[in-house]
Amino acid sequence: MKFHKSLILASLITTALSAYADINVGVTLSATGPAASLGIPEKNTVAMMPKTIGGQKINYIVLDDASDTTAAVANTRKLIIESKVDIVLGSTITPNSLAMIDVVSEAQTPMISMAASARIVEPMDAKRKWVFKTPQNDIMMSLAIAEHMARTGIKTVGFVGFSDAYGEGWYQEFSKAAALKGLTVVANERYGRADTSVTGQTLKLIAAKPDAVLVAGSGTPAALPQKTLKERGYAGKMYQTHGVANADFLRVGGKDVEGTFLPAGPVLVADQLPASNPVRKAAQAYVAAYESANGKGSVSTFGAHAWDAGLLMIKALPIALKKAQPGTPEFRAALRDALESLQEVPGAHGIFSMSATDHLGLDQRARVMVKIENGTWKYQP
């Protein structure tokens, strides 16, 4: 009888403890390596996320994948197996995030990526069912660029992008957008994120005589082709992707990136947005919070992708907590379901409305066109 009572007591203690189990959030970011200018503001933003919700403590286990795909996969396995996380946030870049899909889907652990490629969440299948992301899709931003080009009289475009999933994804999507707007892509070049010279690619671009050149890179390495084109005398219009929307790109690019056009999330020019813009308030809130913690002028769109990932997670957690306890497969499944059910959540980059077939949930409210003027971002109405 005593043995029986002790079993009951142990069971009650276990139940009581599980009711107060911590929520473990695993994070893998590119805080070093070629994508460090993206990963550092994301890491800074994670440090700003709430430490409790609904009376439950939230633990953040943050690892650096050094912009390396193999490290990102290893980090994800470590977070799931050793730290027993309920959700994974990351990674910073597309190749890393794509490589992590198999790991999180096998473990049936939800993941919110801060990388851009649509291929992270499309096409929806049994694996991507567990994966969400916050950055705007390439096609949304490609259309913004193509529309701007067509409106300003551009007919021919040269393309140069990273020699990885980011560059290839952008080429595929921009080619579609260009065709829709009557633009002709006359050159298609690639370079590595860690390359120190792109002279050969630049000479081929100039020989094609395009009206404009689109550089599909991210962070500071995206400045290299543009600087080289300027050195070689190219005088056409220059476009970049939303992958360069941070102060480090302006610093490295200097005068060579003046006059560049790019699409970006509204958060980049939050204070310049009209009062009627539905994203303005949420974007300004993030800018104020980040700059309060890290200094005026320190905010970037990349940190805002992490902020939006945190917002979605925080919105979904109370829903999941009603169904299961943290640390269990049931809780991870409930959290995945809750993320998929979120509607009209205002973030720093846009308004998120998820569905079973859309694990990004952004619409055209999540993009604006921006021009680099006098070393700063200028909103283009």
Side-chain angles (χ1 to χ4, degrees):
M1 180 63 73
K2 288 182 179 180
F3 179 69
H4 181 62
K5 285 182 178 178
S6 65
L7 278 178
I8 294 173
L9 183 61
S11 176
L12 288 171
I13 292 171
T14 301
T15 302
L17 287 173
S18 67
Y20 297 96
D22 291 356
I23 297 166
N24 291 322
V25 178
V27 186
T28 178
L29 300 170
S30 303
T32 58
S37 67
L38 287 64
I40 290 171
E42 291 173 351
K43 185 177 180 181
N44 292 341
T45 300
V46 171
M48 296 160 49
M49 292 180 185
K51 305 300 188 289
T52 61
I53 185 165
Q56 305 258 170
K57 184 182 177 186
I58 304 177
N59 300 317
Y60 296 89
I61 303 96
V62 183
L63 302 178
D64 175 21
D65 58 39
S67 311
D68 179 75
T69 299
T70 303
V73 171
N75 283 354
T76 306
R77 291 193 187 283
K78 183 176 182 179
L79 290 166
I80 290 171
I81 296 169
E82 295 182 18
S83 300
K84 303 190 185 318
V85 298
D86 297 298
I87 186 171
V88 173
L89 305 183
S91 179
T92 302
I93 56 176
T94 292
N96 289 8
S97 295
L98 288 171
M100 290 160 58
I101 293 173
D102 282 346
V103 183
V104 296
S105 62
E106 182 182 345
Q108 298 193 337
T109 300
M111 160 183 158
I112 307 178
S113 171
M114 278 83 93
S117 176
R119 287 187 285 173
I120 296 166
V121 292
E122 297 175 4
M124 184 53 61
D125 55 23
K127 291 182 178 180
R128 289 176 175 85
K129 171 185 175 182
W130 293 91
V131 182
F132 301 80
K133 78 183 188 78
T134 53
Q136 300 86 342
N137 277 343
D138 302 339
I139 188 61
M140 183 188 296
M141 297 311 215
S142 291
L143 280 167
I145 293 173
E147 287 168 3
H148 189 273
M149 287 179 171
R151 191 168 68 247
T152 54
I154 290 168
K155 302 293 185 185
T156 58
V157 185
F159 180 96
V160 56
F162 283 158
S163 54
D164 60 24
Y166 186 85
E168 185 55 34
W170 256 93
Y171 180 71
Q172 290 177 7
E173 300 304 333
F174 180 73
S175 296
K176 296 174 192 173
L180 287 172
K181 297 299 174 181
L183 306 170
T184 303
V185 180
V186 295
N188 175 19
E189 297 296 324
R190 295 285 190 279
Y191 72 107
R193 290 176 185 256
D195 286 356
T196 56
S197 172
V198 290
T199 302
Q201 297 94 318
T202 300
L203 292 174
K204 290 177 183 177
L205 286 167
I206 292 173
K209 299 180 179 179
D211 297 329
V213 171
L214 169 61
V215 180
S218 63
T220 52
L224 180 61
Q226 188 160 349
K227 291 178 76 70
T228 309
L229 282 163
K230 290 290 183 183
E231 289 168 6
R232 296 283 172 169
Y234 179 71
K237 287 185 178 178
M238 292 297 307
Y239 288 78
Q240 291 272 357
T241 74
H242 56 312
V244 303
N246 67 13
D248 277 350
F249 176 78
L250 295 178
R251 175 181 56 78
V252 171
K255 61 181 175 52
D256 292 328
V257 299
E258 276 291 308
T260 301
F261 294 97
L262 64 141
V267 68
L268 187 65
V269 287
D271 288 339
Q272 300 174 44
L273 297 173
S276 59
N277 189 294
V279 184
R280 188 174 190 261
K281 186 178 179 181
Q284 285 181 317
Y286 170 67
V287 172
Y290 189 91
E291 293 191 344
S292 174
N294 298 282
K296 189 165 179 60
S298 60
V299 77
S300 85
T301 62
F302 304 103
H305 291 314
W307 183 253
D308 287 346
L311 283 175
L312 294 173
M313 179 185 72
I314 296 304
K315 284 283 185 182
L317 281 173
I319 302 171
L321 284 167
K322 292 176 183 177
K323 297 181 178 179
Q325 294 299 325
T328 66
E330 292 79 11
F331 182 73
R332 295 193 293 273
L335 186 52
R336 191 219 73 86
D337 292 348
L339 286 167
E340 194 174 83
S341 74
L342 296 177
Q343 296 294 306
E344 291 292 305
V345 177
H349 273 283
I351 312 296
F352 292 87
S353 291
M354 301 290 183
S355 74
T357 55
D358 184 358
H359 279 195
L360 168 62
L362 291 175
D363 56 25
Q364 301 309 314
R365 292 174 290 182
R367 70 174 202 193
V368 295
M369 282 302 293
V370 174
K371 184 180 182 182
I372 298 174
E373 285 187 4
N374 300 316
T376 61
W377 315 106
K378 182 71 173 177
Y379 172 61
Q380 302 292 289

